[in-house]
């Protein structure tokens, strides 16, 4: 009966008509409001030794079949007085989000910010929003080419991990030369706040985290600039993109017995170009952390970088999209590889390779799509785990 319920739920979403854009409301001459919603359904098989967010967990000794609602969200976005944008985005209560573990039983605000659009070269965003560091931090999860996404989530350290990739702060950012260059500078509360307990240790003093990110797009070669704050992993052939980015973030942490400055740096790039009916997409990046507050002891089978003093991660992802309808939608093949190496703790972490293969079927771009894929998690110690997922997404 459980498997039948999965098929019914997913088939119901597939049968929905083409999804229109969000509902727009004119509040006054100076204020407009946009209402929208986002729903994902996952059904699939989890191998033993794997958590729902695809981390290693040897205490999970049973294989399982699950149906989950992932990121059921709704939002208000709007524009006020010509130069001001704003947004409020909530996740539904009482659900489990596989990209951020348990959300609890209350409705949670994941984004709430005001953007002062003073000029294309000079914008100020304040509130709770995506901290600008790696490209993965500022990529819309709805545009992933592999639906279960990166295992990268733990690197939101130094900028709050709950909600994932978000923090409370302020960022100055803008586009120069029509978007050939983009810069982002930010100050945030960070992970290490006075009174908090991080990795079993008490933080005794507040220090802000700061972030820096720059991007370059060779628009002189005919590529389109990425000028928005939130980026896409694939634009599905709507524009040709070549972007090279680099980022750095740091925050000092202080306990009663020790203090250091946690640091992260990254380089990444994204490429997409339409050739007739074929749209190849490729992205890659490298992330390194150093001097984070480590846990006093970490089991040797844990690969969660958030508990380690140092960690290294490399990734590559891509998709081949056939930009013509085959039946009701356009097919694409999505791939992802990740490598993770945590180190520098009493219980040294193990290296991890992860591989994903996905068949994507775009009924109406990212607004309505169905995805079927497999994840292979291959640790340097222990056995390889294989998981399978079928998913559907609707946005309006």
């Amino acid at each position: 009966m459980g498997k039948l319920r999965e098929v019914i739920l997913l088939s119901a979403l597939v049968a929905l008509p083409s999804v229109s854009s969000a509902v727009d409301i004119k509040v006054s001459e100076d204020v407009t409001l946009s209402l929208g919603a986002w729903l994902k359904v996952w059904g699939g098989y989890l191998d033993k030794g794997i958590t729902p967010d695809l981390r290693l967990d040897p205490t999970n000794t049973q294989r399982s079949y699950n149906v989950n609602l992932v990121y059921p969200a709704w939002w208000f976005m709007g524009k006020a007085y010509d130069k001001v944008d704003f947004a409020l985005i909530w996740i539904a209560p009482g659900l489990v989000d596989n990209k951020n573990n348990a959300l609890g039983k209350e409705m949670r605000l994941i984004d709430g910010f005001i953007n002062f659009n003073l000029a294309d070269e000079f914008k100020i965003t304040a509130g709770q929003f995506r901290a600008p560091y790696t490209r993965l931090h500022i990529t819309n999860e709805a545009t992933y080419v592999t639906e279960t996404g990166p295992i990268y989530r733990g690197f939101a350290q130094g900028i709050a991990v709950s909600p994932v990739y978000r923090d409370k702060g302020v960022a100055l950012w803008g586009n120069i030369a029509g978007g050939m260059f983009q810069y982002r500078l930010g100050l945030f509360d960070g992970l290490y706040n006075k009174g908090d307990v991080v990795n079993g240790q008490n933080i005794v003093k507040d220090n802000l985290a700061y972030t820096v990110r720059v991007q370059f797009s060779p628009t002189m070669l005919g590529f389109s600039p990425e000028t928005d704050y939130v980026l896409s992993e694939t634009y599905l052939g709507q524009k040709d993109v070549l972007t090279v980015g680099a980022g750095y973030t740091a925050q000092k942490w202080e306990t009663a017995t020790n203090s250091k400055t946690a640091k992260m740096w990254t380089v990444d790039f994204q490429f997409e170009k339409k050739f007739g009916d074929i749209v190849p997409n490729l992205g890659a990046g490298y992330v390194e952390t150093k001097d984070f507050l480590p846990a006093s002891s970490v089991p040797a089978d844990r690969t969660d970088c958030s508990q380690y003093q140092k960690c290294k991660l490399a990734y590559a992802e891509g998709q081949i999209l056939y930009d013509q309808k085959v039946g009701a939608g356009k097919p694409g093949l999505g791939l992802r590889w990740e490598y993770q190496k945590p180190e520098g703790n009493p219980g040294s972490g193990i290296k991890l390779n992860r591989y994903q293969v996905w068949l994507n079927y775009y009924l109406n771009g990212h607004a309505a799509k169905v995805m079927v894929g497999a994840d292979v998690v291959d640790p340097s110690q222990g056995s390889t785990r294989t998981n399978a997922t079928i998913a559907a997404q609707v946005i309006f």
Side-chain angles (χ1 to χ4, degrees):
M1 181 62 186
K3 293 182 181 179
L4 177 60
R5 185 167 58 250
E6 290 179 21
V7 173
I8 293 173
L9 283 170
L10 294 173
S11 298
L13 283 179
V14 173
L16 288 175
S18 295
V19 178
S20 61
S21 59
V23 177
D24 295 321
I25 300 172
K26 186 173 184 179
V27 179
S28 68
E29 289 297 325
D30 299 314
V31 180
T32 57
L33 188 65
S34 177
L35 310 180
W38 177 19
L39 177 64
K40 290 185 181 183
V41 178
W42 284 6
Y45 161 79
L46 280 178
D47 206 346
K48 61 183 179 180
I50 292 290
T51 64
D53 62 350
L54 300 175
R55 295 182 186 276
L56 293 178
D57 181 9
T59 64
N60 178 20
T61 60
Q62 300 295 321
R63 297 180 175 89
S64 61
Y65 298 88
N66 300 285
V67 175
N68 286 315
L69 298 180
V70 187
Y71 283 138
W74 60 93
W75 60 80
F76 297 94
M77 297 182 183
K79 189 175 182 65
Y81 313 110
D82 188 42
K83 296 293 184 180
V84 180
D85 305 314
F86 58 90
L88 293 167
I89 305 175
W90 291 272
I91 290 182
L95 300 169
V96 173
D97 165 13
N98 285 345
K99 290 196 171 90
N100 197 23
N101 298 323
L103 290 172
K105 296 185 179 302
E106 77 283 356
M107 182 171 65
R108 175 168 295 189
L109 181 72
I110 60 170
D111 288 292
F113 59 85
I114 301 172
N115 179 53
F116 298 94
N117 188 19
L118 305 179
D120 192 38
E121 297 83 5
F122 193 84
K123 306 170 189 282
I124 300 173
T125 302
Q128 178 170 286
F129 57 102
R130 296 171 182 270
Y133 168 52
T134 74
R135 186 178 179 100
L136 291 176
H137 277 88
I138 53 176
T139 294
N140 185 347
E141 292 88 348
T143 68
Y144 285 163
V145 298
T146 60
E147 172 55 25
T148 45
I151 206 168
Y152 167 91
R153 302 150 211 148
F155 281 126
Q157 282 222 53
I159 40 187
V161 299
S162 182
V164 69
Y165 300 153
R166 274 78 167 180
D167 198 5
K168 298 177 181 68
V170 60
L172 170 66
W173 63 287
N175 302 295
I176 300 173
M180 180 182 295
F181 299 95
Q182 186 183 85
Y183 71 93
R184 303 168 188 247
L185 308 171
L187 284 175
F188 294 90
D189 279 351
L191 176 67
Y192 305 112
N193 295 298
K194 183 178 180 180
D196 289 347
V197 178
V198 178
N199 286 340
Q201 302 186 57
N202 295 309
I203 305 299
V204 298
K205 188 176 179 180
D206 259 335
N207 292 290
L208 291 175
Y210 67 87
T211 65
V212 179
R213 179 174 172 83
V214 293
Q215 292 182 182
F216 168 68
S217 298
T219 54
M220 76 291 289
L221 300 179
F223 290 97
S224 299
E226 293 186 285
T227 57
D228 295 333
Y229 189 90
V230 178
L231 308 179
S232 294
E233 199 162 82
T234 174
Y235 294 92
L236 300 177
Q238 298 301 305
K239 61 181 181 179
D240 295 341
V241 168
L242 177 58
T243 300
V244 179
Y248 179 83
T249 187
Q251 184 186 17
K252 186 176 182 179
W253 54 266
E254 299 183 54
T255 67
T257 58
N258 199 6
S259 69
K260 285 188 178 181
T261 298
K263 300 173 283 288
M264 294 186 285
W265 66 271
T266 183
V267 291
D268 50 64
F269 85 93
Q270 196 74 28
F271 167 81
E272 182 169 297
K273 186 173 176 61
K274 184 179 168 98
F275 297 93
D277 293 333
I278 304 299
V279 184
N281 168 285
L282 178 64
Y286 177 82
V287 183
E288 187 169 320
T289 72
K290 185 178 180 181
D291 292 331
F292 275 76
L293 177 59
S296 56
S297 178
V298 181
D301 51 15
R302 289 289 190 262
T303 57
D304 183 356
C305 281
S306 66
Q307 299 181 71
Y308 289 88
Q309 180 183 4
K310 299 188 292 182
C311 204
K312 298 175 182 178
L313 179 138
Y315 70 91
E317 47 76 16
Q319 178 177 254
I320 297 292
L321 172 70
Y322 180 60
D323 197 22
Q324 291 291 332
K325 283 194 173 184
V326 177
K330 299 178 181 180
L333 174 65
L335 304 170
R336 189 184 304 270
W337 164 79
E338 291 175 88
Y339 171 80
Q340 186 169 287
K341 182 185 178 183
E343 55 188 29
N345 279 65
S348 182
I350 59 177
K351 293 181 286 186
L352 180 76
N353 281 282
R354 181 179 173 214
Y355 310 92
Q356 297 185 61
V357 179
W358 282 81
L359 295 175
N360 303 319
Y361 194 57
Y362 299 94
L363 300 170
N364 186 22
H366 294 301
K369 61 182 179 180
V370 181
M371 301 138 287
V372 180
D375 283 89
V376 178
V377 181
D378 183 17
S380 58
Q381 300 176 26
S383 59
T384 298
R385 282 87 165 187
T386 301
N387 314 284
T389 305
I390 179 171
Q393 171 174 291
V394 171
I395 305 173
F396 74 86

